Amino acid sequence: MRVPLERYGTLVPVVNARRADVRADAQRNRARVLDAAEVVLARDGLSASMREIAELAGVGVGTIYRQFPTKEALYQAIVQDRMRRLAERAGELAQAADAGEAFFEYFSTIVADSTVKKVLVDALAASGIDAKAGAPDIKGPIAALLARAQEAGAVRRDVGMEELLALLSAACLAAQHNNWGDDLRARTLAVVFDGLRPAGKARASG
Amino acid sequence: MRVPLERYGTLVPVVNARRADVRADAQRNRARVLDAAEVVLARDGLSASMREIAELAGVGVGTIYRQFPTKEALYQAIVQDRMRRLAERAGELAQAADAGEAFFEYFSTIVADSTVKKVLVDALAASGIDAKAGAPDIKGPIAALLARAQEAGAVRRDVGMEELLALLSAACLAAQHNNWGDDLRARTLAVVFDGLRPAGKARASG
Amino acid sequence: MRVPLERYGTLVPVVNARRADVRADAQRNRARVLDAAEVVLARDGLSASMREIAELAGVGVGTIYRQFPTKEALYQAIVQDRMRRLAERAGELAQAADAGEAFFEYFSTIVADSTVKKVLVDALAASGIDAKAGAPDIKGPIAALLARAQEAGAVRRDVGMEELLALLSAACLAAQHNNWGDDLRARTLAVVFDGLRPAGKARASG
Amino acid sequence: MRVPLERYGTLVPVVNARRADVRADAQRNRARVLDAAEVVLARDGLSASMREIAELAGVGVGTIYRQFPTKEALYQAIVQDRMRRLAERAGELAQAADAGEAFFEYFSTIVADSTVKKVLVDALAASGIDAKAGAPDIKGPIAALLARAQEAGAVRRDVGMEELLALLSAACLAAQHNNWGDDLRARTLAVVFDGLRPAGKARASG
DNA sequence: GATGAATGAGGGTTCATTCAT
DNA sequence: TATGAATGAACCCTCATTCAT
């Protein structure tokens, strides 16, 4: 019931410095919570508990709820965070010299990187939440990557975004679910990539 | 007050012996529980509750526990059931004339059929249970199918069981997770199958 | 729903032999259930389950319920059975030559014998049931024993039935609860018996 | 909607530090839970339910589990609490002028006080838990009391701790079990105490 | 704003009792 | 009549969420 002192100050932003401090704190907490949540979710999956996340983040559970009104909101935030980063990377690779290489590298990177993501998408899907809600558009950058690779003759022209995302999702899901090692991932993706290449294009063996 | 029996499956065993009559009830209930569990698990994933399964099956929770001492035991039973059916189908296809066709058809069938499986395997994995414990071997029949398809020149010789299972698992996971429709499944698997074929072999287009 | 055949016979007891058979069966079952219940109760205490009792007795649970409409009824039956036996024994000892010896022996016997009883009394008490309801009177025979011992000068005259039963109950409770061995029981009862004897009467030491 | 706080105990600790304020709530709740648990256990015995305890204490079940991770832990806490208080009282009486009086008074006090204890020890025993685990030693102080009383000639020298504890336990058990009133307790213990006194020592009558 | 104690619905599981066989 | 499968209330316990501090 104790009202923060600041609330009773004059309307002039006298305490700017102090308030900024608070902001910094809040932001640092938000980041800490997100990091902790990723770790805990990767380890415990869907059943991760808010308490554990809070403990790992070194904050009280109440602090999490201040930033994320709901467990699901926390999950969404993580997913969106990931998506944003992926979109950024796609944007970077869109400048690459070798469009085919860029495309396949991006695909591999996402899969290698997806250990955590699945659980989250899973969670969101299970809750009937649209993971994309409010998220930065990731399809756009990927579509650009695909188009460039197709123009460069590195990817079949009859492959659409839908199949591509399906393959990507499948690989991510399995990589996380079955804990693909680097070797298995490479060999498995090799097959998929071969399937994506135009007939007659480079292939390891036969 | 109860879900009509007819809604689930059609396993009405005909038994004659008097004592077996009692069992008939139990067997029908067992089947109903398994069916209901698949449905609920597909819908709610890991967090499906025994109560809900019982309600959908039209039985009391106690009835489930009579057949399956534990929630995990129920999950395992479903997985094993699936595995058994898959192994059976693989055995059938091993006799097919066209080894390549048999192989790819089997792959497609499993994926089309995998709506539920993922959640279960998921569940088991999360519980640290070995899904294969006591289950009929499914790798054997699949390996046989693969070997025949390779001998027939329908599948690349440098693809091993590990990659194959990884691809299969990935497709199943994604099919279930993202709710692939028939069309998307066909197009996506087409890419994968192309990747599995020897270089120079039939390909739809480019 | 099948009505027993006998019910529709003529009123003449035509099927006497057969009915007697049934009776014998039922009686044997009743005895078996009582025995099993004592064993299980002694081992598992209040939380003994009907199923376990049934299994040990070698009958179905339904059979128990035919004889005893309720778990509590079963408990009561056991207690009453015990009480009856104790009353019988008291009656026998009432004829003994040495009234003092008879009294103390009876006391000891009951205590030594009480391993099981406590749990039952406990159970009944917990359920708010009067253990004595419908039971054969045990106070009468004991009072007789006490009176004779007092007349014989072996027990103080100022000890009443109430204290006596309190002491008896206490010893039984503790014997069962703390698992008194023969030795400890003897030494403990020696003190109590000394307290019951008239001043100046025989005492082990000082 | 809730049981008035005042109904149980009067443990309202006064703490000054700000952080300790939070604890004050927790401590009061802890005390309330312990009190309520004693009441419910005394009434319902082993089968007391956590929910009922929570309701009587006027808290949610979760609050109990915050303090006591397990039902058994709660039981243990109560037992240990009792034991500690008894040990303290024994320590006090060890200073008393009249060693014999102190000894017999202590015995009486424990019995009068034992309404709840039995059920608890019962519960713990049933769960295979060692009631003494981590509990303050109560045997030491009692042994001291006994030794002094024997030296003072108030208690027979051939009575050992084992018999003494057996008698004490028996009296407590019965007092709780059969709901001894003050009068009955006095008369019953009179007999026991007489048995504990050296031959020839004061005795009420004969 | 941060904390974590409190809450209580809900989860898995057991078991006294009923009832179809 | 005996059997044991079925039932579902009740149990212990967890955890997302709220709220007093």
Side-chain angles (χ1 to χ4, degrees), chain D residues 12 14 16 26 29 45 69 87 105 113-114 147 154 167 188:
Chain D
V12 187
V14 180
N16 280 339
N29 273 337
E105 188 195 319
D113 201 60
S114 67
L167 288 166
T188 307

Side-chain angles (χ1 to χ4, degrees), chain C:
Chain C
M1 285 285 158
R2 253 193 3 253
V3 178
L5 299 183
E6 291 78 4
R7 192 172 292 176
Y8 291 104
T10 70
L11 288 177
V12 187
V14 173
V15 280
N16 253 350
R18 199 192 297 181
R19 298 199 49 148
D21 274 357
V22 175
R23 268 281 170 65
D25 239 48
Q27 271 183 23
R28 204 182 53 218
N29 274 342
R30 189 187 158 94
R32 273 211 258 173
V33 167
L34 283 174
D35 286 346
E38 283 213 356
V39 171
V40 174
L41 285 170
R43 199 189 59 202
D44 297 348
L46 294 171
S47 57
S49 86
M50 293 299 267
R51 168 183 299 241
E52 205 156 356
I53 294 173
E55 262 162 27
L56 185 60
V59 303
V61 281
T63 303
I64 298 184
Y65 278 91
R66 167 159 294 274
Q67 303 274 356
F68 310 97
T70 278
K71 203 187 186 188
E72 276 163 5
L74 172 60
Y75 288 173
Q76 266 208 62
I78 298 180
V79 173
Q80 291 183 9
D81 201 53
R82 289 254 153 193
M83 302 270 250
R84 190 176 42 66
R85 282 189 244 168
L86 289 178
E88 280 171 18
R89 176 117 185 88
E92 287 165 25
L93 284 172
Q95 324 290 340
D98 186 330
E101 198 183 326
F103 175 82
F104 290 115
E105 189 195 318
Y106 186 64
F107 197 119
S108 295
T109 304
I110 290 184
V111 175
D113 201 59
S114 66
T115 325
V116 178
K117 212 179 83 182
K118 192 228 99 188
V119 191
L120 303 172
V121 176
D122 225 36
L124 294 168
S127 319
I129 291 178
D130 183 9
K132 278 103 188 175
D137 181 35
I138 195 179
K139 280 190 182 172
I142 294 185
L145 235 37
L146 172 63
R148 281 192 71 220
Q150 286 174 326
E151 276 162 33
V155 170
R156 296 166 59 171
R157 289 193 176 280
D158 64 348
V159 167
M161 272 297 282
E162 235 190 336
E163 295 97 296
L164 178 58
L165 288 177
L167 289 166
L168 195 49
S169 169
C172 289
L173 251 15
Q176 136 76 25
H177 189 86
N178 302 323
N179 230 285
W180 286 2
D182 289 347
D183 194 53
L184 177 58
R185 182 178 65 245
R187 277 182 288 137
T188 307
L189 289 186
V191 174
V192 175
F193 291 173
D194 261 1
L196 285 169
R197 289 203 187 85
K201 267 280 175 173
R203 159 159 295 179
S205 76

Side-chain angles (χ1 to χ4, degrees), chain D residues 125-182:
Chain D
S127 319
I129 293 178
D130 183 11
K132 280 103 189 173
D137 180 34
I138 196 177
K139 279 191 183 172
I142 294 185
L145 237 36
L146 171 62
R148 282 192 71 218
Q150 286 175 326
E151 277 163 33
V155 169
R156 296 167 59 171
R157 289 197 176 290
D158 64 347
V159 166
M161 273 296 282
E162 237 190 334
E163 295 96 294
L164 178 58
L165 288 177
L167 288 166
L168 196 47
S169 170
C172 288
L173 252 15
Q176 138 76 24
H177 191 87
N178 303 323
N179 230 285
W180 287 1
D182 290 347

